[in-house]
Amino acid sequence: MTSIVYARTFEMNETGKAKLSSLIKQNPIFKTPETTGDELIPQKAEAPKIVGSDIDWAIFVEQNNLRTDPKSFIPVLEEMQKTFKGQEPKAVLNAIKAIELLDKRLAPLEWNDGLALAARDHCKDIGPKGLIGHFGSKGTSPYDRILRYGQAGWWRAENMAFSGPPKETWTELTAQAKKIIMNLFIDDGFTSREHRMRLVNPDFKVAGIASCPHRYLKHLSVIDYAESMRVNQLAEDEIKKLAK
């Protein structure tokens, strides 16, 4: 539901100003030059436990690099700008400006096998059929798929990225993953920049990724996010099968 409130004039009181200031400080899109100290030191994220391939882990690592050291991606974007051909001629420049505003570093995400299983289900469903979008062939939503494997916190979302087949070496996979993350951050053709916002949403604490071949668009990676995720028995049983 969306609520819109109208008024001929409006003057914000001290309570409103305090609330607005608090929201701005929580939002990584806004500059917070006063933010210094130990809170900028990211803690090491957990490695994938069972679910996930090499390209999944490479994407996961690069997404955390974006969250903890966003300005390190400016050279990547500058290189992409040289050959970029998208719907928006200035999309890459917009992304560079957005990264320059990301002065507040975020905590890295932790890997969650339950979310990776949810991502895997969507990948295995729509990849072979050549479908796109967040709804499965039987109408399942990201929330449905996440709920199948456990109890998630309030904040949940999903990103999807298309790329070429996974590279052979870790160095090549890292470069490929950087481009995948930057393409999501550029978010060409999406004026709301919804994929970008998911990448740097401070409310997300855990994530899981699954990749698979796509019938028409070469390769698909699905990234599921949540504020928290407690896996259920179904997820634990599936994880045990994959561990054998």
Side-chain angles (χ1 to χ4, degrees):
M1 181 181 73
T2 301
S3 298
I4 306 175
V5 179
Y6 301 90
R8 178 172 295 179
T9 60
F10 184 81
E11 183 176 350
M12 190 178 296
N13 61 19
E14 292 304 316
T15 301
K17 291 178 182 178
K19 181 64 175 177
L20 179 61
S21 176
S22 174
L23 290 172
I24 288 175
K25 289 179 180 179
Q26 293 173 27
N27 194 325
I29 294 302
F30 291 93
K31 296 185 74 172
T32 53
E34 74 281 5
T35 304
T36 57
D38 294 339
E39 73 274 14
L40 295 185
I41 302 175
Q43 301 199 0
K44 186 177 180 181
E46 294 183 5
K49 298 173 182 177
I50 302 298
V51 186
S53 63
D54 287 345
I55 186 60
D56 299 331
W57 179 234
I59 293 170
F60 181 74
V61 168
E62 292 308 319
Q63 173 163 282
N64 274 342
N65 287 340
L66 172 65
R67 292 170 69 92
T68 59
D69 188 14
K71 288 183 174 57
S72 67
F73 283 84
I74 290 179
V76 180
L77 286 170
E78 290 174 339
E79 189 64 28
M80 293 175 71
Q81 171 68 14
K82 297 176 183 178
T83 57
F84 181 76
K85 295 179 181 179
Q87 299 179 46
E88 303 173 67
K90 296 184 178 180
V92 179
L93 293 176
N94 177 277
I96 292 173
K97 290 180 180 178
I99 278 189
E100 290 173 345
L101 294 176
L102 288 173
D103 279 359
K104 183 177 180 181
R105 301 184 183 186
L106 301 175
L109 298 166
E110 292 186 2
W111 180 275
N112 185 277
D113 278 335
L115 292 175
L117 287 170
R120 186 197 64 170
D121 283 358
H122 194 45
C123 211
K124 290 174 66 177
D125 176 26
I126 70 171
K129 298 179 179 70
L131 303 176
I132 59 174
H134 295 287
F135 286 90
S137 61
K138 296 182 179 179
T140 57
S141 70
Y143 301 141
D144 296 327
R145 295 187 292 272
I146 291 172
L147 183 61
R148 183 167 187 256
Y149 290 107
Q151 183 63 46
W154 174 260
W155 298 101
R156 293 154 290 170
E158 183 176 85
N159 266 343
M160 292 169 52
F162 296 95
S163 63
K167 302 296 184 179
E168 296 291 331
T169 68
W170 180 252
T171 299
E172 292 174 320
L173 280 171
T174 297
Q176 184 178 17
K178 283 183 184 293
K179 288 185 177 180
I180 289 172
I181 290 299
M182 283 299 93
N183 279 325
L184 286 170
F185 193 86
I186 293 168
D187 219 0
D188 180 42
F190 293 85
T191 56
S192 64
R193 309 296 186 211
E194 57 197 60
H195 301 89
R196 177 188 300 178
M197 297 299 288
R198 293 178 193 126
L199 288 172
V200 293
N201 189 328
D203 293 311
F204 297 146
K205 308 299 183 185
V206 291
I209 305 172
S211 301
C212 64
H214 190 273
R215 185 173 182 178
Y216 301 120
L217 298 173
K218 295 182 180 180
H219 207 260
L220 165 65
S221 295
V222 179
I223 311 172
D224 281 346
Y225 307 92
E227 179 183 8
S228 61
M229 178 68 171
R230 184 174 59 192
V231 298
N232 58 18
Q233 190 61 50
L234 175 62
E236 290 182 359
D237 291 343
E238 190 65 24
I239 291 167
K240 288 178 182 178
K241 289 180 185 178
L242 293 170
K244 292 181 180 179

